[in-house]
Amino acid sequence: MPRVLRLVAACALTVAAVLPSSAAAKVPQGFFGVMVDGPATETPGILEREAPRIRAAGAQTVRFAIDWASAQPYATAADVPEAERARFTDVDGVPTDLSRSDRIVRLLAAQGLRPLPVILHAPDWAAKFPGSLLTDPRRYASPPSGPEPYARFVAALARRYGPTGSLWSTVPPQRRRPIRTWQVWNEMNLNVFWNEPDFQKGYVPLLQATRAAVRAVDPRALIATGGLTNGSVPAWTALRRIYEAGGRGSFDVVAIHPYTRSAAGVLATVRATRRVTAARGQRTIPIVLTEVAFSSSAGDSPDARRFATWDTTERGQADRLRSTFRLLARQRRALGIGGVSWYTWLSPQARRASWSSYAGLSRLSGDRIVRKPALLTYRTTVRELSR
């Protein structure tokens, strides 16, 4: 077992073993969410069909990625090939295509779902490690070369999707769901997302610049850290490094991705994270779990041996979901937990694939979508715990 998982397991021994019953503390609107990615957002027509089902399952917040590199692949209008020029508009001097995020935000808002974007992936012209993905594996994980272009892009998103955003002029008032929380990058303490030692040295200036730029557009907007996860550097240690680099005051929400073996391990990660914020004078800053999941590969994934404690059957996945949601609801007030989103709504068809390809509440099987036991459990548990 990796050292970080042993630490989480040890912390989990301090967590009460008795989980709350159906009389558990109720949670406010917006507490439960789900991530949409992979086939849900990349395959034409799927999100159009699935968005009503997401609402019916009881999710209120839907997290999705906005790929900066896809939205602004060219630095200037002169760089855009003639055949592509029609799809771009000028935003602060940068050719920009927001059609993909427009589509997702509209679909979610039409169902009364609150969009929660995570913005990542630097375009080549703004990347610290520019180059081809085929020749340089660092390319996808490259941090920005500087904070300003990213901050301007997120501010542009706030002008598009915030409370006075231009998108909403084309949407009936009852279907508007302005975005008020912006998540800055993802899992920076893993080199698959931020391939540079001491991530905090570049990440804290990114937080500071983004918060200033977005607050200039929407003074009440909230900036969330990228989800800190339990890799070789555990979530709470990564957060401590952000504080040590001068990050206090540059974010309004702490986001974590506590991948571990059980509900107790998830809560142990929340507790460890809260101890770090309390030590820095931020005892009440919200902690949001923007990803939590357990793999249901039942040993099929090659990762199963390495991450054996995360892996279970489809029935086991459903049971762990129920236990985790109940425990987080019970501890919500004591630990200042602001919400939890399951990763993910829909998994791709998988065979001998990464563990995350088995995490969905549903899965693809050929051209069919198979509803897993975890989906029914999600629906019944959210109904049980929601006000």
Side-chain angles (χ1 to χ4, degrees), residues 48-113:
E48 285 80 355
R49 297 193 301 271
E50 292 298 292
R53 294 183 173 92
I54 294 172
R55 181 196 61 195
Q60 300 121 18
T61 298
V62 178
R63 180 173 177 258
F64 69 101
I66 295 181
D67 189 305
W68 178 25
S70 296
Q72 291 188 330
Y74 305 105
T76 69
D79 299 325
V80 182
E82 178 82 30
E84 295 185 42
R85 289 180 182 172
R87 70 184 179 94
F88 291 101
T89 57
D90 182 281
V91 175
D92 300 326
V94 181
T96 304
D97 177 8
L98 295 180
S99 58
R100 181 180 181 275
S101 51
D102 278 1
R103 167 181 162 265
I104 294 173
V105 172
R106 284 178 185 276
L107 285 171
L108 298 180
Q111 296 298 323
L113 298 165

Side-chain angles (χ1 to χ4, degrees), residues 7-333:
L7 289 172
V8 172
C11 292
L13 294 176
T14 65
V15 179
V18 178
L19 295 175
S21 67
S22 59
K26 302 290 187 178
V27 302
Q29 178 72 18
F31 187 84
F32 290 113
V34 68
M35 176 89 183
V36 292
D37 66 351
T41 55
E42 295 169 8
T43 303
I46 285 187
L47 190 58
E48 285 80 355
R49 297 193 301 271
E50 292 298 292
R53 294 183 173 92
I54 294 172
R55 181 196 61 195
Q60 300 121 18
T61 298
V62 178
R63 180 173 177 258
F64 69 101
I66 295 181
D67 189 305
W68 178 25
S70 296
Q72 291 188 330
Y74 305 105
T76 69
D79 299 325
V80 182
E82 178 82 30
E84 295 185 42
R85 289 180 182 172
R87 70 184 179 94
F88 291 101
T89 57
D90 182 281
V91 175
D92 300 326
V94 181
T96 304
D97 177 8
L98 295 180
S99 58
R100 181 180 181 275
S101 51
D102 278 1
R103 167 181 162 265
I104 294 173
V105 172
R106 284 178 185 276
L107 285 171
L108 298 180
Q111 296 298 323
L113 298 165
R114 185 175 70 181
L116 172 60
V118 51
I119 301 96
L120 75 165
H121 190 193
D124 200 63
W125 58 269
K128 189 166 188 177
F129 305 123
S132 169
L133 283 171
L134 296 177
T135 59
D136 187 350
R138 299 179 302 172
R139 179 61 192 85
Y140 180 84
S142 173
S145 56
E148 290 79 12
Y150 179 92
R152 286 195 296 269
F153 177 62
V154 183
L157 296 176
R159 293 197 301 270
R160 182 68 173 161
Y161 307 123
T164 59
S166 57
L167 178 77
W168 306 119
S169 64
T170 64
V171 176
Q174 67 273 19
R175 291 192 172 185
R176 296 174 187 172
R177 292 295 184 275
I179 296 174
R180 307 305 300 271
T181 301
W182 305 90
Q183 188 168 29
V184 177
W185 219 263
N186 184 64
E187 297 183 355
M188 307 77 59
N189 58 324
L190 296 184
N191 63 12
V192 296
F193 286 104
W194 189 285
N195 195 352
E196 185 179 42
D198 300 322
F199 78 92
Q200 68 277 6
K201 293 180 181 179
Y203 183 66
V204 167
L206 194 72
L207 277 174
Q208 293 167 337
T210 302
R211 190 170 190 269
V214 171
R215 284 290 184 95
V217 176
D218 177 9
R220 297 177 62 188
L222 301 178
I223 296 298
T225 68
L228 299 166
T229 195
N230 290 331
S232 57
V233 177
W236 56 91
T237 300
L239 179 60
R240 187 179 298 116
R241 291 182 182 180
I242 290 174
Y243 278 118
E244 290 169 350
R248 190 182 190 280
S250 63
F251 54 90
D252 309 288
V253 177
V254 175
I256 59 173
H257 296 171
Y259 289 108
T260 182
R261 68 182 303 166
S262 65
V266 170
L267 191 64
T269 302
V270 178
R271 288 191 186 280
T273 302
R274 178 55 74 203
R275 285 194 291 270
V276 173
T277 72
R280 295 288 174 161
Q282 294 194 302
R283 188 176 299 275
T284 60
I285 191 169
I287 296 174
V288 175
L289 291 74
T290 48
E291 288 183 22
V292 68
F294 302 95
S295 170
S296 66
S297 91
D300 184 61
S301 170
D303 296 336
R305 178 172 296 182
R306 182 182 175 197
F307 301 123
T309 56
W310 303 356
D311 196 44
T312 182
T313 62
E314 289 193 353
R315 174 52 59 190
Q317 179 188 52
D319 292 342
R320 292 186 192 187
L321 183 155
R322 180 187 297 107
S323 298
T324 299
F325 279 17
R326 285 180 172 179
L327 191 53
L328 292 172
R330 183 183 183 185
Q331 297 295 327
R332 177 182 67 86
R333 292 183 183 277

